[in-house]
Amino acid sequence: MGKFIIKRILTAIPTLFLALTLVFFLMRAIPGDPIYAMIGPDQVDAQTYEEVAERYGLAGNDFEQYLNYLGKVFTGDWGYSFFMGKPVFDCIVERLEPTLMLSAMSLIIAVVLGIPLGVIGATHENSPLDYATSITSIIFLCIPNFVLALGLIYIFGFKLMWFPMSHYLYMEQYGFWQAVYSMILPAFAVGMTNVANVARFTRTSMISVLQRDYIRTARAKGLSLGKVRYVHALKNSLGTVLTVLSSALLGTLGGSIIVETCFSIHGVGEMLNKGLSQRDYPLAQAALLVMTLLFIVINILLDIGYKLIDPRVELN
Amino acid sequence: MKKKRMKPLAFIKKYGRIMIGGGIILAMLAMGIFAPLIVGPDVNPYESYPYEKMKMPGEDGYIWGTDIWGRDMFAQICYGARVAIGIPFAVQAVTLIIGTLVGLVCGYYPKADMIISRLMEALNAIPMFVIALLFCNIFGRSTFNFIISLALSRFIDVARMIRGRVLSIRQEEYIECEKVMGASDLRTLFCHVLPACSNTLLLRFSTGLAGVLLSMVGLAFMSVGLYSHIPNWGLQVSIGRSMFVLMPHLVLIPSLFIVITTFGFSMLGEGMRSVIGSGRSN
């Protein structure tokens, strides 16, 4: 197991490095000069231009900038945001909490609602209950997350006044439960698509497991239906579900950009959008780096979980 | 021999979804094509109306009222169908072309595969929506660039799948024969390997449409990509958002159309899956 984990972490490093490089050069491909965007093209002379470029790490050609960036990125010096007026690393630290909360809660929602729905569908195959759960998940797959976000804000925030309509309540100031409470609507807005996905995959995978020979053997030997279904069959269908969770996380991180904007949450997704639209390279780069890092770390955890469920799995 | 007729129930089970999905998409398509006949050529583009001039539904012959800039909602919905149906098809076509080419190269040339696969792995660690957002920012605003950006954000899956298929097909004897007979790589790839993937590709095409529509309206909601004078449901939601607590219909109507169309696309995809059969493709 230890060997597996180390191997998995080592394979993640090149991916992270390549993603970093790709993001860096893609950022530079965005048209527009950030220095002009910062100080305005009219009032800039050559000397100021150079000074500003020097200060923000924009001197030299792209490749020199890249080497410069690489030298610093592992020490936590992620550059200086053009518009926020402080080091990017500090911006990230502030904004990490809402995004982590959002991703964690939406994944929890996906698992807690999705797996039971899928199990119900699989154990009652082709019954009205199965059709009802299938249709519900298809409908949720068809609702874009911003529509869901606005709908939830309107119904539960504005009409019923059960939940706050926007903003995140920081843990430090308001305590853990208030923070969770303020994140419920956003988490559902991001998570419902994942619920539907998880439910569908659980259903298909469990149906195929239920048809296996060892399930019939277990039943024939006199094991109760409940035990066969919920212990033996469920455990063996969870592997597929874990792989869905990895793509669900990607969807969550992508969706967080939109949902954070809808709920005016100042998280990493919103920061990425801001950085992209203002040509604030360091800000957008850092936001993407954090997202990629988060994805890779959680993927490693999921792979370890997969190995725990199914020890036959090998890395190739 | 006479072909056996299907029982109605089995027929519905097999083709029902494709018919529902296809029906919805055709209806939307017709709405988009005949929009000039339904609502006239004028979408009254971008006039900075003061809020008081905004029309509520039913007022002055505007069935669904106007948006906050005084543009007819109904007309925008009709014209918006053009983008909502057209772009997913275009994006999927481009995605398949890029994905197939990359996949064929990767599967057939191990050296290129080393580099390209690593790159794709790295891209795969970035959310699809973010990649689309990045490319939209790089290429700037225009319909063509928007299509390319969306395709670039989703070709990886197709490329990986094709790569896998090519790797397994390469082992087959008939490819070996072809080589012995002196066929060039290009001929083998396009005359033998590609046709073997065609079923999977067709399935990929139809199951991906709904996803494209969703990311398209998402990007439009963030006002990235398409020109803002092209009627577009995602943009309509984004415009209506500032007033939606007071006038929910501004958001509700375009949202409903988005959901219905996405439903149509996903039914079409599901239907194709049950017709083509998902036996060997995932």
Side-chain angles (χ1 to χ4, degrees), chain A residues 95-106:
Chain A
R95 281 153 177 268
L96 201 55
E97 187 191 315
T99 301
L100 280 181
M101 195 68 160
L102 181 62
S103 321
M105 279 179 64
S106 68

Side-chain angles (χ1 to χ4, degrees), chain B residues 91-221:
Chain B
V91 169
Q92 277 304 81
V94 179
T95 307
L96 286 199
I97 293 171
I98 301 178
T100 312
L101 289 180
V102 174
L104 285 180
V105 169
C106 279
Y108 214 78
Y109 303 105
K111 274 184 192 152
D113 183 33
M114 286 255 291
I115 302 165
I116 300 177
S117 281
R118 289 292 94 71
L119 275 179
M120 291 200 297
E121 230 162 71
L123 266 183
N124 233 4
I126 305 172
M128 208 184 265
F129 188 76
V130 175
I131 302 176
L133 200 65
L134 252 177
F135 279 117
C136 279
N137 272 299
I138 292 173
F139 293 141
R141 252 169 226 270
S142 94
T143 312
F144 178 75
N145 292 346
F146 185 61
I147 293 171
I148 299 290
S149 319
L150 271 178
L152 282 176
S153 72
R154 8 182 81 243
F155 81 98
I156 299 169
D157 275 354
V158 181
R160 285 189 150 188
M161 179 202 68
I162 293 287
R163 174 177 168 271
R165 296 280 290 145
V166 174
L167 284 179
S168 71
I169 291 171
R170 264 181 62 183
Q171 316 286 329
E172 303 272 344
E173 273 171 11
Y174 66 90
I175 299 292
E176 202 100 329
C177 281
E178 189 75 5
K179 251 191 201 150
V180 172
M181 280 155 70
S184 67
D185 281 357
L186 273 183
R187 192 189 148 79
T188 327
L189 279 179
F190 284 96
C191 296
H192 297 276
V193 178
L194 196 55
C197 305
S198 60
N199 255 2
T200 336
L201 281 178
L202 189 59
L203 194 62
R204 226 357 114 104
F205 185 90
S206 39
T207 46
L209 290 168
V212 179
L213 181 62
L214 284 185
S215 30
M216 184 194 105
V217 290
L219 287 169
F221 180 75

